[in-house]
Amino acid sequence: NAGVTQTPKFQVLKTGQSMTLQCAQDMNHEYMSWYRQDPGMGLRLIHYSVGAGITDQGEVPNGYNVSRSTTEDFPLRLLSAAPSQTSVYFCASRETGINQPQHFGDGTRLSIL
Amino acid sequence: EDKVVQSPLSLVVHEGDTVTLNCSYEVTNFRSLLWYKQEKKAPTFLFMLTSSGIEKKSGRLSSILDKKELFSILNITATQTGDSAVYLCAVPPWIQGAQKLVFGQGTRLTINP
């Protein structure tokens, strides 16, 4: 049982490039979400999904796309990378139910030059 | 707008001291408050609090919630260097059947030997 797995762990991009951050969970969790963590700002929600085929925007969705074709996978796409997207990205999942804690992956550190 | 505020933002103490971390919140349809510990990688779940006045305890860590005054505290007694981390408070507003975690900025705790 690996939990929440994120790849890659580190990535450096040039401005304007696109890329996909991968997130997979093997706990059969319906809820999955993506956060970014910047110094002094805590974690902010980018996009989330309540099940396969259903996604919605969080607090800071601009410049990012997501899809949820399977329960296990929830990739985050940067369409045209900008230096403001330099951050640490965390994927999380949790069980269905009102009071269930979220479980986080180890994060992807992304630098945009 | 949903809001979670933690204080202090940074705290440096000596090993053996007791510390109290604060978290205040204003969120829609409050159901629970969560505490996470973040060392180098993923935030790891500590506590979930749903009821006022009931202390949750795990070893030297304890936490309590006050739903009337809209805050929670996290206490760590007899601190050790391994307690050095960023402590995150988060509240999931319950909106349209989905929970989206709103995080505070975090408290960076440093324990000096």
Side-chain angles (χ1 to χ4, degrees):
Chain A
N1 194 334
V4 180
T5 303
Q6 290 184 236
T7 55
K9 294 192 187 316
F10 304 95
Q11 184 71 49
V12 179
L13 292 178
K14 293 182 180 177
T15 297
Q17 286 185 311
S18 62
M19 82 159 292
T20 299
L21 308 186
Q22 301 292 344
C23 176
Q25 52 92 8
D26 60 359
M27 298 173 282
N28 204 32
H29 287 172
E30 292 292 334
Y31 289 87
M32 295 186 75
S33 42
W34 276 102
Y35 296 85
R36 59 178 288 174
Q37 186 173 33
D38 301 297
M41 300 193 74
L43 282 83
R44 292 181 293 167
L45 182 66
I46 305 171
H47 285 284
Y48 68 100
S49 168
V50 300
I54 306 169
T55 64
D56 205 348
Q57 295 181 349
E59 185 184 353
V60 288
N62 292 340
Y64 307 95
N65 271 357
V66 291
S67 59
R68 186 94 181 270
S69 55
T70 66
T71 299
E72 294 77 21
D73 300 300
F74 191 43
L76 177 73
R77 295 183 189 85
L78 278 71
L79 308 170
S80 177
S84 61
Q85 293 178 304
T86 293
S87 188
V88 181
Y89 291 84
F90 287 99
C91 178
S93 74
R94 69 169 187 90
E95 292 182 48
T96 305
I98 296 176
N99 290 325
Q100 297 292 336
Q102 297 209 15
H103 300 275
F104 288 83
D106 284 343
T108 295
R109 186 174 292 275
L110 184 62
S111 294
I112 316 295
L113 305 177
Chain B
E1 184 185 333
D2 298 318
K3 195 174 173 183
V4 177
V5 177
Q6 291 185 245
S7 64
L9 295 182
S10 181
L11 185 58
V12 181
V13 301
H14 289 293
E15 206 166 18
D17 288 350
T18 293
V19 297
T20 298
L21 311 184
N22 303 293
C23 175
S24 64
Y25 62 90
E26 295 176 32
V27 294
T28 309
N29 295 330
F30 176 86
R31 297 290 179 97
S32 61
L33 183 145
L34 296 88
W35 284 98
Y36 287 86
K37 176 182 182 182
Q38 185 177 26
E39 296 175 87
K40 294 198 188 307
K41 293 186 177 178
T44 53
F45 173 71
L46 294 174
F47 297 113
M48 177 181 283
L49 304 158
T50 58
S51 302
S52 270
I54 298 175
E55 185 183 55
K56 291 255 178 132
K57 205 168 167 61
S58 176
R60 296 175 293 100
L61 278 66
S62 64
S63 184
I64 198 159
L65 175 68
D66 185 329
K67 287 163 77 170
K68 183 180 174 189
E69 300 297 331
L70 308 183
F71 77 92
S72 173
I73 59 172
L74 175 68
N75 279 322
I76 309 175
T77 59
T79 52
Q80 302 171 357
T81 55
D83 296 326
S84 295
V86 175
Y87 290 83
L88 298 166
C89 172
V91 180
W94 188 258
I95 301 168
Q96 296 178 332
Q99 282 189 329
K100 299 182 282 185
L101 276 180
V102 177
F103 281 86
Q105 319 93 304
T107 293
R108 181 173 296 279
L109 177 64
T110 303
I111 311 297
N112 287 328

